[in-house]
Amino acid sequence: MSDLLERLRGRGWRMTAQRRVVAEVLDGDHIHLTADEVHARAVAKLPEISRATVYNTLGEMVSLGEVIEVSTDRRAKRYDPNAHRPHQHLVCARCGAIRDVHPVGNPLSDLPDSERFGFTISDVEVTYRGTCPNCASA
Amino acid sequence: MSDLLERLRGRGWRMTAQRRVVAEVLDGDHIHLTADEVHARAVAKLPEISRATVYNTLGEMVSLGEVIEVSTDRRAKRYDPNAHRPHQHLVCARCGAIRDVHPVGNPLSDLPDSERFGFTISDVEVTYRGTCPNCASA
DNA sequence: TCCTAGAATGGACAATGTCTAAGTCAAGCA
DNA sequence: TGCTTGACTTAGACATTGTCCATTCTAGGA
Ligand SMILES: [Mn+2]
Ligand SMILES: [Mn+2]
Ligand SMILES: [Zn+2]
Ligand SMILES: [Zn+2]
């Protein structure tokens, strides 16, 4: 039983086979799958699950704050079950590998008042891009 | 004559009416338009310009390093003619307004070696999100 | 066991982006 | 100035990602 599923159950979610497999697919570290990747893996466990249900379920998990949406590439959104520890992302420009990373300090302090244009800033998103050791050695 | 057009001409680009209007549309500060927004503004100046040409031209400008692609929302990519001064973006979550901002210091120094997983990092992208003064007072 | 609100389904539709075949033209050259 | 040619443009088909809706199904309580 995944932690994610455990938390969702605790919120009074009606438990269905479809929701269970979506939660199972998202279980693990450094998981950042697109909706269609989640669908493909879910179909392997429950062949009749539909695309719409995967999209719906992911959307609900996001609304509940149990999954976050990540847009590291400029293609599909990715779904990240690591919603309870703030973190940023490190992306390999070659192969697309994504790692969770935890920078030190408060990135907000790097932005002087003169550069805030009167905005109230509530969130900072950081994406580090580079080459992973695997791609570097190839 | 825009700076952008001037630089492109200097690279031996074949100059066409279409490329000229795309460059004109991108002239200015804090410009972050989607491809279809560029197309709409270009059509106002040159009614027969096609969608494909706008996409092609923007893609070439990006390849030449004269325009950068920005993905601040999770919808369409935006095209930014401010390619020669490194900067980050401040986005209003309410109305979508985007400002160029220049944080101090090197954002890379916030990421300890232990969090680099052997990657060679070449670039950091930062998006600040909040509420603009206009939306805050409304 | 039965009911019903909530969930799942398939497919249409929308938004964004890519590709191609055919027509057009900018720019170098006679 | 008027060819020639390869680069450029065009319209529209197609692909990917995501949303929406009418219908059918079912989890879980009475
Ligand atoms: Mn993550
Ligand atoms: Mn910018
Ligand atoms: Zn890699
Ligand atoms: Zn605003």
Side-chain angles (χ1 to χ4, degrees):
Chain A
M1 169 66 63
S2 73
D3 281 357
L4 173 57
L5 195 51
E6 197 66 10
R7 286 195 300 272
L8 293 170
R9 186 192 294 281
R11 289 171 183 260
W13 246 31
R14 191 158 126 180
M15 197 46 56
T16 68
Q18 290 84 352
R19 288 174 169 188
R20 224 180 328 263
V21 299
V22 170
E24 281 170 17
V25 165
L26 287 177
D27 192 35
D29 288 331
H30 301 283
I31 295 288
H32 305 92
L33 298 169
T34 67
D36 280 342
E37 286 166 355
V38 172
H39 181 236
R41 296 186 187 200
V43 162
K45 294 165 178 272
L46 184 70
E48 68 272 25
I49 191 173
S50 76
R51 217 167 137 272
T53 294
V54 170
Y55 273 91
N56 288 342
T57 303
L58 291 171
E60 289 155 11
M61 289 173 171
V62 171
S63 293
L64 290 171
E66 296 295 349
V67 165
I68 55 180
E69 284 179 350
V70 174
S71 301
T72 50
D73 58 32
R74 278 74 180 233
R75 324 236 354 224
K77 282 182 275 198
R78 293 179 173 276
Y79 292 88
D80 183 346
N82 183 7
H84 294 294
R85 184 177 177 202
H87 66 281
Q88 307 298 341
H89 293 102
L90 172 54
V91 181
C92 176
R94 187 90 66 89
C95 70
I98 303 174
R99 309 289 316 221
D100 288 349
V101 294
H102 303 86
V104 300
N106 181 0
L108 250 188
S109 57
D110 290 341
L111 194 65
D113 273 347
S114 61
E115 290 285 311
R116 297 192 185 197
F117 297 98
F119 279 57
T120 305
I121 302 177
S122 53
D123 188 44
V124 186
E125 212 175 284
V126 182
T127 303
Y128 300 90
R129 295 183 190 282
T131 308
C132 77
N134 214 25
C135 287
S137 67
Chain B
M1 168 69 60
S2 73
D3 281 355
L4 174 56
L5 195 51
E6 196 67 11
R7 286 195 300 272
L8 293 170
R9 186 192 294 283
R11 289 170 183 261
W13 248 31
R14 191 158 129 181
M15 196 45 56
T16 67
Q18 290 84 353
R19 288 173 170 187
R20 225 179 328 262
V21 299
V22 170
E24 281 170 17
V25 165
L26 288 177
D27 193 33
D29 288 330
H30 300 283
I31 295 288
H32 306 92
L33 298 169
T34 67
D36 280 342
E37 285 166 355
V38 172
H39 182 236
R41 296 185 187 200
V43 162
K45 294 166 178 271
L46 183 69
E48 68 272 26
I49 190 172
S50 76
R51 218 167 134 271
T53 293
V54 170
Y55 273 92
N56 288 342
T57 303
L58 291 171
E60 288 155 15
M61 288 173 171
V62 170
S63 293
L64 291 172
E66 296 294 348
V67 165
I68 56 181
E69 284 181 349
V70 174
S71 301
T72 50
D73 59 31
R74 278 76 180 233
R75 325 242 345 229
K77 283 183 275 195
R78 292 178 174 277
Y79 292 87
D80 183 345
N82 183 8
H84 294 293
R85 184 178 176 202
H87 66 281
Q88 308 298 341
H89 293 102
L90 173 54
V91 181
C92 176
R94 186 89 67 90
C95 70
I98 303 174
R99 309 289 316 222
D100 288 348
V101 293
H102 303 85
V104 299
N106 180 0
L108 250 187
S109 58
D110 290 342
L111 194 65
D113 273 347
S114 62
E115 289 284 313
R116 296 192 184 197
F117 297 97
F119 279 56
T120 305
I121 303 177
S122 53
D123 188 44
V124 186
E125 213 175 284
V126 182
T127 304
Y128 301 90
R129 294 183 191 282
T131 307
C132 77
N134 213 27
C135 287
S137 67

